[in-house]
Amino acid sequence: MNAVTWDQRERIIGLLADASADPDVRAVVLTATGRGFCAGADLRGSPPAGGAGASGERVPGDVARTIRRGAQRFIGAVLDCEKPVVAAVNGTAAGIGAHLAFACDLVLAAESARFIEVFVRRGLVPDGGGAYLLPRLIGPQRAKELMFFGDALDAADARTMGLVNRVVPDGELEKTARAWAERLAQGPTRAIALTKQLVNGSLEADRASAFAAEAAAQEINMATRDANEGVASFVERRTPRYEGR
């Protein structure tokens, strides 16, 4: 069910950072194989919590530090990636797996996909940014319903709530995700990155700050080749050819 291990998490964080820095990477797709997208965190292979003594005894601050360095950094890597990130959810996404999908910029779900806020079933508080992401996506009341009860949410209901952009038959998920990624890859990459930052930042900003950020982003973007190409193609009445630079 693709429970994410410590090694996998670190590798994905590294790949997302590499994608941000590589102008030849124009879009990112997160998906999985098998029955599950991600069944949550696999703690069996994790290193000891930072700060624990040689005896392995937990000391105050260990759990919070582990969450900050682990689950929160994992979700933050998706939110901060400078390329558009598409989740192609092929099956069950539970716990941190659900939050991984919700942190993506666009979410495709197979008809068999399910989303589960599994934490309450284990007597735990949601982590990995769940209490940050869900209220912003669907509002506090619906977020509390999912988190208080921990019921499985099927793909169709997730789309109705606004957690998923599109639901497709299982056999069409990979094809659709590739089509979306290719379409994004043909777009003005830096403009999309700045747009992502503006939208994500607007959820915490007041109007003055959001407007200032918008103006600054447009100023930065106008220095890119793609912006010049976009304007030139409009004037010349032709299809733009974006390079991601």
Side-chain angles (χ1 to χ4, degrees):
M1 298 292 286
N2 293 312
V4 65
T5 66
W6 185 88
D7 288 340
Q8 289 168 335
R9 184 192 74 207
E10 294 302 308
R11 182 166 184 268
I12 292 170
I13 290 172
L15 288 170
L16 289 167
D18 291 345
S20 290
D22 187 348
D24 291 330
V25 175
R26 308 285 293 278
V28 175
V29 175
L30 289 179
T31 192
T33 57
R35 295 185 299 113
F37 175 74
C38 177
D42 183 351
L43 302 179
R44 292 171 296 180
S46 300
S55 65
E57 181 181 355
R58 181 181 297 164
V59 298
D62 282 349
V63 173
R65 191 178 308 107
T66 298
I67 296 300
R68 289 196 304 270
R69 292 179 176 177
Q72 291 176 350
R73 192 164 62 91
F74 188 35
I75 299 305
V78 179
L79 294 169
D80 295 337
C81 182
E82 296 177 31
K83 304 297 165 66
V85 183
V86 178
V89 184
N90 58 298
T92 297
I96 190 70
H99 301 166
L100 179 63
F102 299 153
C104 292
D105 302 303
L106 300 169
V107 184
L108 291 168
E111 290 177 342
S112 64
R114 299 188 310 157
F115 301 88
I116 310 173
E117 287 296 317
V118 74
F119 299 94
V120 72
R121 299 186 184 184
R122 310 288 181 258
L124 301 174
V125 172
D127 62 33
Y132 172 86
L133 292 167
L134 278 168
R136 285 164 170 77
L137 292 168
I138 60 176
Q141 300 305 110
R142 283 181 166 178
K144 290 172 189 174
E145 180 182 347
L146 294 180
M147 291 179 166
F148 288 1
F149 293 121
D151 293 336
L153 187 70
D154 65 29
D157 287 340
R159 185 180 187 280
T160 299
M161 279 191 178
L163 291 168
V164 168
N165 293 89
R166 187 176 299 178
V167 178
V168 298
D170 288 23
E172 295 181 15
L173 180 66
E174 182 178 352
K175 175 183 175 182
T176 305
R178 181 173 293 277
W180 279 28
E182 288 176 352
R183 185 175 176 185
L184 289 166
Q186 293 168 7
T189 309
R190 293 309 304 162
I192 292 173
L194 290 165
T195 301
K196 173 176 178 173
Q197 292 175 10
L198 286 174
V199 173
N200 288 351
S202 72
L203 299 172
E204 281 84 40
D206 57 35
R207 186 182 70 178
S209 299
F211 277 23
E214 178 183 87
Q218 196 69 285
E219 176 79 24
I220 293 167
N221 188 66
M222 287 306 296
T224 66
R225 285 188 229 167
D226 282 348
N228 292 325
E229 167 64 10
V231 173
S233 65
F234 175 76
V235 172
E236 297 165 10
R237 302 193 178 195
R238 60 175 174 80
T239 301
R241 297 182 295 275
Y242 296 122
E243 303 175 0
R245 290 168 169 82

